[in-house]
Amino acid sequence: MIIQNTKLTCFIEQSRIQQRTTEIAHELSKKFVDQTPIFIGILNGSFIFLSDLIREMTVPSEVDFIKVSSYAGEQSTGTIRLIKDISADITHRHVIIVEDIIDTGLTIKFIKDRMLEAGPASVTIVTLLLKPDMVKIPFPVDYVGFEIPPEFVVGYGLDYDQQFRYLPAIYRIEGNVNE
Ligand code: 5GP
């Protein structure tokens, strides 16, 4: 399909995302029964996945958000900067970090390290998408929706230049129709 002069091809359909989100929510619900975990969504991309995930949980939970920006410097190691911190006190809490996509893993590593400084009871990482060919982190990702090749995708919260977040499925960008 073509939206705002950009050709998009569906990569993961809405029904597959819904099914996988429900599966992950049920696994998390089993793991955190009687615990009231706190979800930490990484803004902006995770907001749709997070909202679908918590509504499929069968145990109570709380929600907070963190926002960072990453700069790819002159070298391949980017620098992460904190834009908005969480408001909640997570000491002795079961924390579930929710990411939309893990590419190099720099963002998730920065946020996990920061959460650990506050002395939580546990930290669990959930990501909708993971690019295994790109990722370089010294710890496992606990829950992965889908592993994908190293291509740029949009939709279901993920943007290209702030566009396409509202799309209900995940799309690959094929190019600009004017080119
Ligand atoms: P990392 O720090 O793991 O390299 O990058 C994670 C962040 O990069 C994600 O939160 C997301 O903002 C952005 N990102 C990485 N790959 C993609 C992609 O394919 N599409 C979009 N829209 N964002 C991506």
Side-chain angles (χ1 to χ4, degrees):
M1 68 179 182
I2 294 172
I3 302 179
Q4 292 171 305
N5 294 326
T6 307
K7 184 157 186 262
L8 304 171
T9 316
C10 188
F11 190 56
I12 307 174
E13 283 175 14
Q14 187 177 7
S15 59
R16 282 184 68 206
I17 299 172
Q18 279 167 349
Q19 191 188 353
R20 188 70 190 113
T21 302
T22 304
E23 283 170 10
I24 294 173
H26 288 174
E27 287 178 36
L28 288 171
S29 301
K30 263 191 251 165
K31 183 172 173 179
F32 293 107
V33 69
D34 298 331
Q35 305 281 11
T36 313
I38 178 161
F39 285 88
I40 308 287
I42 304 178
L43 292 171
N44 293 333
S46 74
F47 79 106
I48 292 182
F49 177 46
L50 175 63
S51 62
D52 283 347
L53 195 61
I54 60 170
R55 284 178 295 172
E56 294 297 335
M57 295 286 290
T58 56
V59 299
S61 62
E62 294 174 22
V63 181
D64 203 344
F65 292 95
I66 191 166
K67 184 167 183 164
V68 296
S69 73
S70 61
Y71 290 108
E74 287 177 13
Q75 295 171 353
S76 58
T77 52
T79 304
I80 311 287
R81 190 164 64 98
L82 186 69
I83 307 279
K84 181 219 168 288
D85 205 354
I86 55 169
S87 318
D89 178 3
I90 58 165
T91 306
H92 307 312
R93 298 294 306 274
H94 291 283
V95 169
I96 305 174
I97 304 173
V98 180
E99 176 65 299
D100 52 355
I101 185 163
I102 296 179
D103 187 5
T104 63
L106 277 176
T107 305
I108 199 73
K109 183 174 185 311
F110 175 90
I111 290 172
K112 184 179 183 189
D113 288 347
R114 195 174 168 87
M115 297 297 110
L116 286 172
E117 282 171 18
S122 68
V123 175
T124 299
I125 297 174
V126 182
T127 187
L128 177 65
L129 304 173
L130 173 74
K131 296 180 183 172
D133 294 351
M134 306 294 292
V135 73
K136 291 186 194 84
I137 40 175
F139 51 81
V141 178
D142 302 292
Y143 297 90
V144 176
F146 302 92
E147 291 192 356
I148 65 165
E151 292 180 45
F152 197 82
V153 291
V154 296
Y156 197 70
L158 290 138
D159 75 311
Y160 174 68
D161 219 2
Q162 300 306 325
Q163 295 182 84
F164 312 124
R165 289 194 198 276
Y166 59 87
L167 294 172
I170 307 274
Y171 293 82
R172 192 190 296 148
I173 295 186
E174 300 290 348
N176 193 299
V177 290
N178 294 325
E179 282 170 1

